Amino acid sequence: MPSPTDAALAARIATLRAQCDGPRDGALLRCMLGQTLAGAGAHATAIVEFEHALRFDARYSAAWKFLGRALLDAGRRDDAADAWRQGIAAAEMQGDVQAAKEMRVFLKRIARADPQDASD
């Protein structure tokens, strides 16, 4: 039997999905859905939603940040690093200094974990 937390998470996902392809659909909605899916451990589906968010707005630095995290959690380190590099560029174009700084830290962490991957 699913726990109350699982049921609440499933209800939240259903509520967010119901808004997709409607008048409120956009980068923020898709990013929220991606975050909720990632929190539920559905990394592959979360990746799809973060990518969808970026089709709405490729400059949305938070979506890049979360996409990188979901890719890393899915075992796709190289793709995560690439997402964060693109996210840094997007954040810098938007003047989002904090997001760029965070993604640089994430890149450094995976580079330390694998020195072969140190290209930044």
Side-chain angles (χ1 to χ4, degrees):
M1 180 166 175
S3 73
T5 304
D6 292 341
L9 192 55
R12 175 144 174 84
I13 290 169
T15 298
L16 291 168
R17 283 196 189 282
Q19 296 178 57
C20 292
D21 299 319
R24 293 188 175 177
D25 200 359
L28 180 60
L29 173 64
R30 296 299 177 133
C31 198
M32 288 172 42
L33 177 55
Q35 286 179 273
T36 306
L37 289 163
H43 303 295
T45 310
I47 290 165
V48 170
E49 294 304 331
F50 292 129
E51 290 171 340
H52 202 113
L54 290 164
R55 283 194 295 279
F56 279 109
D57 184 359
R59 299 169 300 164
Y60 191 21
S61 55
W64 285 110
K65 182 174 80 170
F66 294 127
L67 173 60
R69 182 72 227 178
L71 288 163
L72 186 63
D73 289 343
R76 296 171 53 187
R77 289 176 40 136
D78 292 340
D79 292 332
D82 186 51
W84 287 327
R85 285 184 195 101
Q86 291 179 64
I88 290 166
E92 288 174 343
M93 287 175 45
Q94 294 296 103
D96 191 350
V97 176
Q98 183 60 34
K101 185 185 291 186
E102 289 174 19
M103 288 184 270
R104 280 192 185 91
V105 169
F106 300 154
L107 279 173
K108 287 179 184 175
R109 285 181 185 160
I110 63 172
R112 277 196 307 262
D114 183 4
Q116 298 288 342
D117 205 25
S119 61
D120 186 325

